[in-house]
Amino acid sequence: MIANLVQLAAEEEQNPLIPPGPELLVGTIAFAIVFFFFWKKLIPNINKVLEERREAIEGGIEKAEAAQTEAQSVLEQYKAQLAEARHEAARLRQEAQEQGAQLIAEMRAEGQRQREEIVAAGHAQIEADRKAAAQALRQDVGQLATELAGKLVGESLEEHARQSRTIDRFLDELDVKAEATR
């Protein structure tokens, strides 16, 4: 046991932060081998992967910027087309309103013309009917007047020329009296 205590005391004199010489030499050699392996094999592969990632990220960013620029361009074209379509729709709506107003005016004019034609035809028909009625009345009144005059005068007024003159004279006198009373 005393030997153990002596050995412990000898170990205590050594600094615990500094490893013994042979361990330090083996550790340094192992570190150099691992460092060399990392430096020759792992570091280039890591740098290569990092470079590929950087390029992929930069390419993705460039692609995203290009896509965003293209999307902005398409959006502007869409807005321009939409504005043009709205303008065209407004123009077509205005033209349709103008055509509708023109069509209504034409229909009104046509209706007015047809109304005037119907009224004119009605007036012409009334005038023709009035003349026909006047002619029929003239004949009937003339015949009755001739018969009555023949009875009053006592002689026959059957002779056509005389009858016609008598009828015309009688109706002219009636027209004059009718105009005088108006």
Side-chain angles (χ1 to χ4, degrees), residues 41-154:
K41 293 289 181 182
L42 232 48
I43 298 289
N45 287 339
I46 291 173
N47 284 339
K48 181 180 175 185
V49 168
L50 288 176
E51 183 65 26
E52 288 173 359
R53 277 189 161 180
R54 186 185 61 77
E55 288 175 2
I57 289 171
E58 286 177 359
I61 290 172
E62 289 174 0
K63 287 179 183 177
E65 287 175 353
Q68 184 177 9
T69 304
E70 184 179 346
Q72 186 68 26
S73 172
V74 169
L75 178 63
E76 289 174 5
Q77 289 176 352
Y78 170 74
K79 285 180 180 180
Q81 288 175 347
L82 184 61
E84 184 179 329
R86 285 182 180 160
H87 178 69
E88 182 68 18
R91 185 185 64 77
L92 290 175
R93 188 172 36 251
Q94 180 66 26
E95 284 180 10
Q97 287 175 347
E98 290 172 0
Q99 288 176 353
Q102 182 181 4
L103 187 59
I104 288 171
E106 288 175 1
M107 289 297 171
R108 281 186 182 157
E110 179 66 20
Q112 182 71 20
R113 185 188 60 77
Q114 287 178 355
R115 184 187 68 82
E116 289 173 0
E117 286 178 0
I118 291 170
V119 168
H123 285 303
Q125 183 64 36
I126 289 171
E127 184 64 26
D129 290 346
R130 187 188 66 76
K131 286 182 180 181
Q135 183 65 27
L137 182 63
R138 188 176 274 240
Q139 288 176 355
D140 290 344
V141 169
Q143 191 173 0
L144 289 173
T146 304
E147 288 175 13
L148 182 63
K151 288 181 184 178
L152 289 176
V153 173

